[in-house]
Amino acid sequence: MLPLTFDQLSLSPRFGRLPSHFYSRIQPTPLPAPYLIAWNQPLASEMGLAMDASQHPNLADYLCGNRLPTNSEPIASVYSGHQFGVNAGQLGDGRAILIGEFQTANGDFWEMQLKGAGPTPYSRRADGRAVLRSSIREYLCSEAMQGLGIPTTRALGMAGSAQGVWRESLETAAVVLRAAPSFVRFGHFEHYRNDIDSLQILADWVIEHHYPSASQASNPYVSLLEQVIERTAVMIAKWQAVGFCHGVMNSDNMSILGLTLDYGPFGFMDGFDAGHICNHSDDTGRYSYQNQPEMGLWNLQCLAQALLPLMDRAAALNALQQYQSHFETHFADLLRQKLGLLTWQESDWGLITQLFALMHAAHTDWTFFWRNLANMDSSLRNHFLDRSAYDIWLADYQLRLSSEARKPDERIAAMNQTNPKYVLRNYLAEIAIQKARDAGDFSEINHLQHCLMQPFAEQTEFEHYAALPPAWAAQIGVSCSS
Ligand code: AMP
Ligand code: MG
């Protein structure tokens, strides 16, 4: 089949067919003289869209909302949510506009959303825009997470403009065209907690399109909740395994599909610090690395609370109680793979606890350590403060490995499929941002994306992206400002 252009897409609204009080119809605000920053060719071909940016007429205009696919009925949805533990009341897509929903030839369904295409009825006096730096970060991290095998929304492309946007200082605007099977958040359910009819319409819609197996259950809504709990636990276990910190795990940023959603002040940890806070606006460390699993549960409690009109309290509590074991099971399995073990024993938690304590004390680089553990490179001990304690740990680890008859080559190959060589370190994103901002040079974005799509592969041309962070990396501060 020939690749399609945006104009040839056959749109078939699903979210847009919910009753009209679920959203507002809103046109994107034109962006002056947009320029193309990135086009995600692999994702575009997966979707059946034009293969090559140069083949697509007016691509930058489509990526920022100056042009819309034929028959587009753009909407911004309303939701509520808890932000930093406090009920924030009504929120909504303040700078995201759903421009189209369609099905690909292989049956996958995609919603396309412009992020930063101008104000909506939910913008609450903000400008509806996104700045270049945060758009580059969202674009790159969406695809980095996809490469790591972590459920995420995707980024199809990005356009920028010289138009000024005020944050702490004057910056310029950019728009990311992002895609996901659905952008429904926990917050959508919280919005209807006192409107049972709408709550049920929304829950039925999510079940019909995204959790069809739940409809077979004696109470489909309990099954929905259970499945969301499991997906959320799995997603966060995967975050923990690669050292990813989301930064703003508010309930309006939690996807009902268990996708990593709303990339803002996120960060991959460089040096391991259990209490690492990636978001400079997070004063109390509510969303620190070690708090993420518990915050996942906290948000699920908000979701369960919202769903209570549709189920017994006991059923909701019972579902929530499964969270911890889902998380632990998946996290243990990921740690097993990270260590190159075939089986997981209760006593392996001891090995992990000791290792984490040593890494925490020395702020050992998370990605570098795990990647190089496979070969047990002798220089690894230099990444610890208490080197003799590390030697003892290593001897224990080797003893544990020898208890399993696994060929070293096999173990190393398996570990290299689990411990990525490349992650989107803050400083790598920062270099790409600086080149884009200062020189209009987007090549670094392109290179990083290509590298991060295969984070487990040895890529000689991208060896430098696996380097330990430079000293200035520690000075990078990311905040909610985006
Ligand atoms: P966030 O913390 O980025 O998830 O944003 C929280 C809420 O504020 C969401 O409803 C966003 O849509 C909205 N929001 C954030 N930044 C802007 C902006 N520049 N213009 C309009 N709405 C925004
Ligand atoms: Mg958000």
Side-chain angles (χ1 to χ4, degrees):
M1 211 176 67
L2 280 177
L4 301 169
T5 61
F6 280 108
D7 256 343
Q8 294 163 329
L9 275 179
S10 164
L11 301 181
S12 50
R14 295 202 313 197
F15 191 87
R17 287 293 167 265
L18 280 166
S20 59
H21 64 279
F22 281 84
Y23 47 79
S24 300
R25 298 219 177 269
I26 178 84
Q27 292 293 321
T29 306
L31 196 61
Y35 54 82
L36 179 68
I37 303 176
W39 173 241
N40 188 349
Q41 220 164 287
L43 178 60
S45 12
E46 215 180 289
M47 291 177 161
L49 279 157
M51 314 291 273
D52 192 313
S54 63
Q55 292 170 350
H56 199 299
N58 307 306
L59 185 56
D61 282 314
Y62 284 99
L63 293 179
C64 72
N66 285 4
R67 286 172 187 259
L68 293 172
T70 319
N71 301 326
S72 168
E73 301 171 78
I75 58 179
S77 71
V78 60
Y79 52 79
S80 294
H82 282 77
Q83 300 186 317
F84 290 92
V86 178
N87 185 352
Q90 182 188 305
L91 303 163
D93 294 323
R95 54 170 166 175
I97 299 178
L98 176 64
I99 57 156
E101 308 171 63
F102 67 96
Q103 195 160 23
T104 64
N106 64 16
D108 293 340
F109 201 89
W110 291 98
E111 292 185 359
M112 287 188 297
Q113 220 184 42
L114 296 167
K115 182 169 176 181
T120 75
Y122 315 109
S123 298
R124 298 175 300 153
R125 293 191 299 278
D127 58 13
R129 291 295 182 194
V131 296
L132 178 64
R133 74 183 145 78
S134 66
S135 302
I136 293 174
R137 281 168 55 83
E138 168 140 13
Y139 179 87
L140 284 176
C141 200
S142 306
E143 297 311 299
M145 295 297 262
Q146 173 72 16
L148 289 165
I150 300 178
T152 179
T153 63
R154 305 290 302 275
L156 185 56
M158 175 170 41
S161 163
Q163 186 173 76
V165 176
W166 271 104
R167 293 297 179 258
E168 286 75 18
S169 61
L170 187 62
E171 303 191 42
T172 60
V175 179
V176 174
L177 178 56
R178 58 184 188 177
S182 170
F183 286 96
V184 169
R185 301 143 190 272
F186 292 7
H188 280 98
F189 287 87
E190 291 179 270
H191 191 69
Y192 299 109
R193 50 182 293 187
N194 296 319
D195 171 359
I196 302 181
D197 289 345
S198 297
L199 183 71
Q200 190 160 1
I201 289 170
L202 180 63
D204 288 341
W205 183 90
V206 170
I207 289 170
E208 179 188 349
H209 296 297
H210 300 287
Y211 290 93
S213 68
S215 61
Q216 311 298 320
S218 57
N219 182 332
Y221 310 113
V222 174
S223 172
L224 170 65
L225 179 62
E226 285 170 346
Q227 293 188 54
V228 177
I229 287 170
E230 178 164 9
R231 283 204 203 180
T232 306
V234 170
M235 172 185 76
I236 297 176
K238 288 175 187 262
W239 289 358
Q240 300 302 101
V242 297
F244 174 81
C245 299
H246 181 284
V248 207
M249 290 175 68
N250 293 335
S251 63
D252 54 303
N253 289 339
M254 299 294 292
S255 148
I256 201 71
L257 300 186
L259 307 173
T260 313
L261 170 67
D262 277 8
Y263 292 90
F266 67 84
F268 284 88
M269 257 190 309
D270 292 322
F272 176 57
D273 170 2
H276 178 69
I277 304 166
C278 63
N279 174 3
H280 274 217
S281 318
D282 181 9
D283 303 325
T284 61
R286 178 180 171 85
Y287 299 132
S288 69
Y289 173 78
Q290 66 189 352
N291 283 354
Q292 293 193 122
E294 196 187 323
M295 289 300 111
L297 177 60
W298 198 94
N299 286 318
L300 287 161
Q301 284 163 345
C302 293
L303 176 66
Q305 177 85 38
L307 286 169
L308 269 186
L310 302 177
M311 66 186 68
D312 290 342
R313 204 177 175 78
L317 285 172
N318 183 50
L320 288 168
Q321 264 158 21
Q322 296 162 27
Y323 176 81
Q324 190 61 22
S325 75
H326 283 311
F327 174 77
E328 270 172 29
T329 306
H330 286 277
F331 192 46
D333 197 52
L334 291 166
L335 291 171
R336 174 188 69 71
Q337 294 175 50
K338 290 180 87 64
L339 287 167
L341 294 170
L342 290 168
T343 57
W344 183 259
Q345 299 173 356
E346 242 353 82
S347 57
D348 293 327
W349 283 115
L351 211 54
I352 285 294
T353 311
Q354 285 159 21
L355 175 64
F356 281 9
L358 293 171
M359 291 180 78
H360 177 82
H363 284 197
T364 308
D365 190 87
W366 182 263
T367 307
F368 184 88
F369 173 80
W370 284 107
R371 181 67 181 192
N372 290 286
L373 181 64
N375 288 314
M376 287 177 243
D377 190 313
S378 58
S379 71
L380 269 187
R381 72 192 295 274
N382 301 335
H383 293 257
F384 291 86
L385 289 175
D386 187 345
R387 291 176 192 166
S388 46
Y390 172 71
D391 293 339
I392 294 171
W393 180 84
L394 189 65
D396 287 347
Y397 170 54
Q398 286 170 327
L399 193 66
R400 173 70 179 95
L401 284 180
S402 64
S403 72
E404 293 186 334
R406 189 179 207 186
K407 292 201 189 84
D409 287 359
E410 261 176 40
R411 176 183 56 75
I412 291 170
M415 287 173 81
N416 285 344
Q417 286 306 306
T418 297
N419 297 314
K421 176 155 177 158
Y422 306 99
V423 296
L424 182 64
R425 295 177 185 272
N426 265 345
Y427 90 90
L428 293 175
E430 197 59 31
I431 292 172
I433 290 165
Q434 277 167 18
K435 283 194 178 171
R437 197 166 46 197
D438 303 344
D441 175 359
F442 311 127
S443 59
E444 193 71 10
I445 298 171
N446 193 23
H447 293 152
L448 269 174
Q449 186 194 337
H450 277 89
C451 172
L452 295 169
M453 274 162 47
Q454 294 186 55
F456 303 106
E458 294 289 336
Q459 304 178 65
T460 40
E461 72 275 34
F462 294 132
E463 195 62 33
H464 52 294
Y465 290 146
L468 286 168
W472 61 267
Q475 311 307 319
I476 302 170
V478 288
S479 69
C480 278
S481 152
S482 61

